[in-house]
Amino acid sequence: MSHYQVVKGARDIFPDEMVQWKHVEDVMHWLARIYGFSEIRTPVFEYTELFQRSIGSATDIVGKEMFTFFPDGSGRSITLRPEMTAGVMRAALQKNLLASAPVQKLYYISELFRKERPQAGRQRQFSQFGAELLGASSPAAVAEVIMFMMHVFDELGLSGLRLRINSLGSIDDRRRYREALRAYLAPHYDRLDDASRERFEKNPLRILDSKNPDMQEIVAGAPRLHEHLGDEARRDFDLVLGYLSGRGIDYRIDHLLVRGLDYYSYTAFEVTSTALGAQDALGGGGRYDSLALELGSPKEVPAAGFAVGMERLLIAMQKQGLLPEAVPAGPEVCIIVPQQEFFDQAFALAARLRDEGISTAIDLAGRSMKAQLREAGRMRAASALFVGGDELSSGMFPLKDLDASFQETLPLEGAIARMRERSITKQDQP
Ligand code: AMP
């Protein structure tokens, strides 16, 4: 064992587990296509100001969770992205994407970095699958984003999900509410915990989110955000809910749901799973029309999106027995070389089979025939093809079906045809 260890809060994903990740990702790519979202990749780092501006400096993320560094020892600071929305919006604005098509539907599966205390379901490097719909934030656009997310969960077979949804109102509604909330909390200031005191000035809505029972007790009597919503926000919210009901999506309105980030307005939502422990949030999102303005765009860009934690999604699926067996697919054929003096010819034959599109393994470590056969079984190769001196001179090769323990001797073309047949029948199996 090496004395080097993976960094705390990060993890390796080995080939067996990759099989499960690929299964989940395949569903995401497929449904993205069905819903008309195109994949985007942005750099893992951005200039720090991007996140300060967009996520908001009063949030936990910007306040204490960012991995920030100065690549040149000084000058402009850079941050490993703690979320994707800001980078995607930055990219869209920089490229002026909305000039080519006024609605851009983008999605990603990407790694993020937050300096949080690692625990089950919480890492310092983790991945999210998410979507950003830029250029529209009508009730139908917001509903479409939610439908896409819920469809993915549904297709993966997840149960025990709860979708909570709220309207944060317009920016003006929120400003009025913030004042009302502060006025209510002021007489309780002495009883607020440190985190809430900090939030009191900068972002009092976050106090509604507090997990501290004492704070929850104080908050229970606070004025309600929904009582401060203007007519427009109410109408908008009802329309979003109508689309969800029409689609048969269950939701619960949660007036305390505010989400951590500053750029949300109007609809915000979060999905939790009963299969998860303390960190039960699977994903969330909302509408963020003002983000583009914050990033220096001359006008608002209506927008909505969601992000789902990949690791937590896989944990929930694991708990519910929804993941495929963690076994990488074996090769179609393993070439067995009984005598090493014929290795080079066998090696050339492997190349030829690969040219034919047949996935081919060959021992590269000069092991005995017995060890090669054992390895073929371990890899779950479908067949073994014996390539020795007699075979090479006669042009007839023993091909063994390793599943059925059945063997026949064929010319190379015949063996290739047989392997093709087998891999087709195999794909047809459920
Ligand atoms: P957020 O952007 O904080 O709303 O995160 C969206 C989703 O990403 C959450 O619901 C989690 O599933 C996942 N997530 C957030 N932070 C972490 C983390 N530190 N480790 C693993 N998953 C995370």
Side-chain angles (χ1 to χ4, degrees), residues 9 61 65 82-85 108 112-129 259-261 263-264 269-272 276 279-285 306-313 315:
I61 293 183
E65 293 173 1
E83 58 104 50
M84 282 296 289
T85 305
Y108 55 81
L112 308 177
F113 307 86
R114 292 183 195 171
K115 210 186 291 168
E116 295 188 278
R117 195 170 53 80
Q119 53 178 284
R122 184 187 274 172
Q123 298 170 201
R124 290 185 155 188
Q125 177 178 332
F126 62 102
S127 326
Q128 284 181 346
F129 155 61
R259 307 251 329 134
L261 317 184
Y263 52 64
Y264 288 113
F269 53 90
E270 203 162 280
V271 175
T272 52
L276 296 173
Q279 303 298 320
D280 66 350
L282 201 53
F306 70 78
V308 169
M310 291 291 286
E311 287 79 5
R312 286 192 204 169
L313 180 63
I315 295 171

Side-chain angles (χ1 to χ4, degrees), residues 210-223:
S210 174
K211 301 272 186 284
N212 179 344
D214 295 338
M215 298 306 106
Q216 289 173 349
E217 196 187 309
I218 296 173
V219 159

